[in-house]
Amino acid sequence: MRILCYGDSNTWGCVPNVSGYSKNCVAKQYKREDCWWCTLTVNNEVFVDGVCGRCIAHESKWLENRNASVTVYDDLACYDCLDVVIVWLGANDCKSMYGDTANDIVDNLENLVKTIEDITKAKIVIISPVCIKENTPITQKYYLGAYEKSIE
């Protein structure tokens, strides 16, 4: 099978913002064999298109081309004859600066999935956003209320 893993930094095994948000932020990269999708590569052709800061329906104020709802056509055009698209987005949409509720995020994801269905005949698998920790320097600054959203 041909599988596309499409999402944010969680998709490709990166812990962003080690030094805070900036255009020159330091990201910690996990080894390939420690990434969640690695076992899929055993009998499949796997493509990983994960971008730090990618949102379902918002553009980052720090990085360009991070709104999946806008870029998805170009993003998926790079891959022919996909059997499965695994979408792992929503963590960045939980940022307090976007003001989305959990329902907003779900609605935006539903619209993105409909767009992906229009682009490809692949089956779509959705991975829910990770549970966002509270009381870390990054979450205190950018993700106030995100814990509840990510649980919901």
Side-chain angles (χ1 to χ4, degrees):
M1 286 198 314
R2 293 172 54 88
I3 302 169
L4 171 63
C5 302
Y6 182 74
D8 58 22
S9 58
N10 293 307
T11 305
W12 58 274
C14 173
V15 178
N17 315 321
V18 174
S19 63
Y21 283 103
S22 73
K23 290 187 186 270
N24 301 317
C25 69
V26 176
K28 175 185 174 185
Q29 179 69 43
Y30 285 99
K31 295 178 196 166
R32 181 182 184 275
E33 60 270 14
D34 292 336
C35 293
W36 65 272
W37 47 263
C38 185
T39 56
L40 296 174
T41 64
V42 174
N43 295 312
N44 303 292
E45 191 172 5
V46 177
F47 308 96
V48 180
D49 188 342
V51 179
C52 283
R54 181 181 276 154
C55 290
I56 299 168
H58 298 285
E59 192 61 62
S60 170
K61 71 179 190 179
W62 299 284
L63 304 164
E64 295 178 354
N65 300 317
R66 297 306 196 263
N67 183 338
S69 296
V70 173
T71 64
V72 68
Y73 291 99
D74 289 338
D75 295 339
L76 267 63
C78 302
Y79 308 100
D80 293 327
C81 303
L82 293 169
D83 298 298
V84 177
V85 176
I86 301 173
V87 178
W88 186 351
L89 286 169
N92 289 307
D93 297 84
C94 288
K95 290 177 182 168
S96 47
M97 69 181 179
Y98 298 128
D100 285 351
T101 66
N103 286 335
D104 294 333
I105 295 168
V106 170
D107 290 345
N108 291 337
L109 181 58
E110 184 177 9
N111 290 331
L112 179 64
V113 167
K114 286 177 184 174
T115 302
I116 293 170
E117 289 173 336
D118 290 343
I119 297 170
T120 180
K121 300 297 180 206
K123 292 180 181 169
I124 300 171
V125 175
I126 298 169
I127 298 178
S128 178
V130 296
C131 177
I132 298 172
K133 294 181 187 178
E134 292 182 316
N135 301 320
T136 70
I138 295 296
T139 57
Q140 288 296 95
K141 188 168 184 179
Y142 300 106
Y143 287 89
L144 292 176
Y147 173 78
E148 291 82 12
K149 288 183 213 179
S150 65
I151 293 296
E152 193 174 332

